[in-house]
Amino acid sequence: MASLCIAGLLLLLAAHSHAAVVGLATPVEYEYHSYAVTPLSPHAYSAPAAADDDAQAQEDVAASSSTLHIRLLHRDRFAANATPAQLLARRLQRDVLRAAWIISKAAANGTPPPVAGLSSARGFVAPVVSRAPTSGEYIAKIAVGTPGVEALLALDTASDLTWLQCQPCRRCYPQSGPVFDPRHSTSYREMSFNAADCQALGRSGGGDAKRGTCVYTVGYGDGSTTVGDFIEETLTFAGGVRLPRISIGCGHDNKGLFGAPAAGILGLGRGLMSFPNQIDHNGTFSYCLVDFLSGPGSLSSTLTFGAGAVDTSPPVSFTPTVLNLNMPTFYYVRLTGISVGGVRVPGVTERDLQLDPYTGRGGVIVDSGTAVTRLARPAYTAFRDAFRAVAVDLGQVSIGGPSGFFDTCYTVGGRGMKKVPTVSMHFAGSVEVKLQPKNYLIPVDSMGTVCFAFAATGDHSVSIIGNIQQQGFRIVYDIGGRVGFAPNSC
């Protein structure tokens, strides 16, 4: 209770101070949203028929000479015989693994060691040092080869390499649909180990000593690995959009925690071999993620490349990116503050969250694969306590949620409207991202419990803006050095 009183007092002092500056006679009043809780269904989720997804995908994909527009599916759409609460618990388990890897890697100085046991596989000349997280929450359907074989690829802004499992499969994990066999594709092309794209892989690539072809090896943070040929292939998207001679990984030896339904990863990072850097769309792409609890008939999440990526209404507000040499693939931004109820929270400033260019510690990443936003502990604590102090209409705070993941939850039931304080995130360039209640209060059970969808990292750790907070916004990535936010643009 003491921390709540202190946080409330600080917010009131900030409001009084603002009033004094502008000459107001009364303190600034807090801003609120009206919020109706929708408890999770107690019934098991049934995945839609594949034909329904395919028909919808045909409707939702458009293309021109300058734009490629792709429908996305959340991986839970492929689940069956699990309740929404169980799916949320699994999602948070995946989230813990991904966030832990990002946090440890972002602060690592120097080059990580090779993945044990892989440097001599198939006569590789180069060792493996590339590492990235494995989880992917949103899935794109892409046909690979000629004739095309459908593959589900998890989009990942934390990875550069696009790859999928391939026959002959010495070791493969279960996936949805058949494993791609390049021997049956007329557009398959091997790549020489001295080709420019092979050299662009850096330490992730090398040569097969017997064939003189390009090979890759990638080790992921949880011990998962993929090993195979780096090739050129044709990718075809719903609606008939064909992209020839895209450099991708053809994984013949894959193990670990990738898991169905995805057959591989669509790499959307900032590296030379990422998918947006390979296609002729100016290195610009965007996505809009709808509420992961949305039911049938709701809007679809979409991924757009090219000129259409920034064609939004209202227009996109851009903030500059920052480069972390320890994690050059990631999209770092400058988070300068957070407001609760329209009042800036003391203790959440850019200084608290800035990147240390010498150690790689700190900083803020925008990530498609992390669900819950993590903030460095001092900033998180100040933010959470300020929210608790102003969210008086939600009742008594409890600690709960799936597996005790969240530290601020409220049992509000499933009826009636509640007043919840507004929350905004402020970025460099005077960019304010005004969140909706669904971005920071999420239902976790069928009894009407909602939890504050943020968590803490270490005192000087990297912070991660997750996809729950991104839902409902079009997030625009310009690899040249900007990330943009456009509300209500799905």
Side-chain angles (χ1 to χ4, degrees), residues 390-410:
V390 184
V392 292
D393 196 40
L394 292 179
Q396 186 175 0
V397 174
S398 64
I399 297 175
S403 305
F405 180 89
F406 300 107
D407 68 3
T408 300
C409 298
Y410 304 88

Side-chain angles (χ1 to χ4, degrees), residues 76-407:
D76 286 349
R77 194 171 179 83
F78 298 89
N81 301 320
T83 66
Q86 291 171 329
L87 293 175
L88 177 60
R90 295 173 189 173
R91 187 181 194 188
L92 294 177
Q93 290 170 355
R94 296 191 300 267
D95 210 47
V96 169
L97 292 174
R98 182 180 180 91
W101 179 85
I102 292 175
I103 291 165
S104 64
K105 178 65 170 68
N109 264 322
T111 302
V115 179
L118 291 179
S119 59
S120 61
R122 302 189 60 226
F124 287 153
V125 175
V128 180
V129 296
S130 177
R131 296 175 180 269
T134 60
S135 61
E137 296 297 309
Y138 291 87
I139 306 293
K141 287 187 177 183
I142 299 174
V144 182
T146 306
V149 175
E150 184 178 275
L152 301 176
L153 301 184
L155 71 94
D156 194 348
T157 52
S159 297
D160 290 331
L161 182 69
T162 295
W163 65 270
L164 77 162
Q165 297 195 117
C166 287
Q167 299 283 9
C169 211
R170 285 181 291 279
R171 179 168 46 182
C172 284
Y173 59 86
Q175 68 173 57
S176 177
V179 175
F180 175 66
D181 191 338
R183 295 169 295 189
H184 298 157
S185 172
T186 60
S187 53
Y188 168 82
R189 297 290 182 273
E190 291 186 336
M191 185 184 300
S192 169
F193 72 89
N194 58 6
D197 282 4
C198 186
Q199 298 301 311
L201 287 176
R203 292 179 178 270
S204 294
D208 186 308
K210 294 182 179 179
R211 294 186 297 155
T213 55
C214 187
V215 294
Y216 78 93
T217 307
V218 176
Y220 291 82
D222 59 6
S224 302
T225 58
T226 174
V227 179
D229 297 311
F230 198 52
I231 66 170
E232 289 183 339
E233 255 298 4
T234 294
L235 304 185
T236 305
F237 299 83
V241 180
R242 290 171 58 85
L243 299 178
R245 303 195 67 174
I246 300 297
S247 297
I248 63 172
C250 196
H252 301 291
D253 192 339
N254 318 290
K255 68 173 183 177
L257 302 177
F258 299 108
I265 288 176
L266 182 65
L268 302 178
R270 299 172 72 175
L272 290 175
M273 284 295 96
S274 71
F275 183 73
N277 256 334
Q278 286 196 59
I279 63 177
D280 188 21
H281 287 101
N282 302 316
T284 302
F285 69 95
S286 67
Y287 55 69
C288 202
L289 309 177
V290 300
D291 185 349
F292 74 99
L293 296 174
S294 297
S298 61
L299 292 173
S300 299
S301 298
T302 56
L303 172 65
T304 304
F305 296 92
V310 296
D311 184 14
T312 67
S313 180
V316 181
S317 297
F318 281 102
T319 187
T321 55
V322 180
L323 181 64
N324 180 356
L325 294 177
N326 285 315
M327 294 285 282
T329 293
F330 277 17
Y331 297 90
Y332 278 82
V333 294
R334 291 163 52 199
L335 180 64
T336 60
I338 295 177
S339 295
V340 172
V343 178
R344 288 286 191 117
V345 177
V348 183
T349 66
E350 183 174 5
R351 182 176 180 180
D352 303 314
L353 299 165
Q354 67 186 359
L355 172 68
D356 185 329
Y358 299 102
T359 65
R361 293 184 178 276
V364 180
I365 292 168
V366 181
D367 182 41
S368 64
T370 302
V372 175
T373 289
R374 268 83 168 173
L375 296 172
R377 187 172 302 280
Y380 169 75
T381 301
F383 174 32
R384 178 204 62 194
D385 290 351
F387 184 86
R388 288 179 176 180
V390 184
V392 292
D393 196 40
L394 292 179
Q396 186 175 0
V397 174
S398 64
I399 297 175
S403 305
F405 180 89
F406 300 107
D407 68 3

